[in-house]
Amino acid sequence: MWVLYGLPIVHPDSLLVITINGTGFFIEVFYISMFITFSDWPKRRKMFIALLLEAIFFAIVVVITLVGLHGTKSRSLFVGILCVIFNIMMYASPLTVMKRVIKTKSVKYMPFSLSLANFANGIVWSIYALIKLDPFVLVPNGLGTLSGLVQLVLFATYYRTTKWGDEEDTNKQEIELQKSAETGQDGQP
């Protein structure tokens, strides 16, 4: 979607957006092809279905953008809003892990490098958006910066209480989480 947004017929003067996201697209194609190559048939089938649905959705967006909308302002608005929605979803995906970190008081399942990369990515794209005055890049990446910062704060807060032990600790935490979810906060079912 960001590659479409960066095209000159949609949003002029977005060379950086199209080159970075175009490169990312080809890296993703490589990754998905490796996944498909080395996975079993049920996983491949799910991936093919997901890719087909994404291709259909993207084709609909392209047709609406290029045929139904005239002028770069209306095209930028339409594709930009979609990009904001999907980018916010990407940055919000670690929320489930952050909830787990708070419940278990352990950062075992929240990789520091991913949190740092999330934070750095948000900062870099936010700075770019401020320079170019592009709200469609600024809004999701500003929120992504905040999300990354919260992850780093959680990591710093719970790093010392994390038990980096073997698989038994992991199984005990899983059982405790399941019990607390079944019985509720006060121990009552």
Side-chain angles (χ1 to χ4, degrees), residues 49-69:
I49 291 169
L51 289 173
L52 178 64
L53 292 174
E54 285 184 36
I56 291 169
F57 176 77
F58 185 71
I60 292 168
V61 170
V62 168
V63 168
I64 290 170
T65 302
L66 299 180
V67 176
L69 301 172

Side-chain angles (χ1 to χ4, degrees), residues 15 21 33 41 47 71 78 80 85 89 97 111-112 117 119 126 141 145 159 164-165 167 174 180 182:
L15 183 64
N21 289 289
S33 65
W41 174 244
M47 183 60 68
F78 177 67
I85 291 167
M89 289 169 53
V97 174
F112 176 77
F119 179 65
S126 293
N141 288 292
T145 300
Y159 181 78
W164 299 98
E167 200 61 32
E174 288 292 325
S180 67
E182 291 171 1

Side-chain angles (χ1 to χ4, degrees), residues 85-120:
I85 291 167
F86 292 131
N87 219 23
I88 288 173
M89 289 169 53
M90 177 196 76
Y91 279 123
S93 64
L95 289 176
T96 56
V97 174
M98 290 169 23
K99 179 181 174 186
R100 187 176 195 180
V101 166
I102 294 168
K103 276 191 170 186
T104 62
K105 297 185 184 340
S106 171
V107 293
K108 196 173 197 175
Y109 303 103
M110 188 173 73
F112 176 77
S113 57
L114 185 60
S115 300
L116 183 62
N118 188 18
F119 179 65

Side-chain angles (χ1 to χ4, degrees), residues 87 90-91 113-131 134 136-149 151-152:
N87 219 23
M90 177 196 76
Y91 279 123
S113 57
L114 185 60
S115 300
L116 183 62
N118 188 18
F119 179 65
N121 185 59
I123 286 177
V124 169
W125 280 107
S126 293
I127 292 170
Y128 168 81
L130 288 170
I131 291 170
D134 191 338
F136 299 115
V137 177
L138 180 61
V139 169
N141 288 292
L143 294 172
T145 300
L146 290 175
S147 170
L149 181 62
Q151 289 175 56
L152 292 174

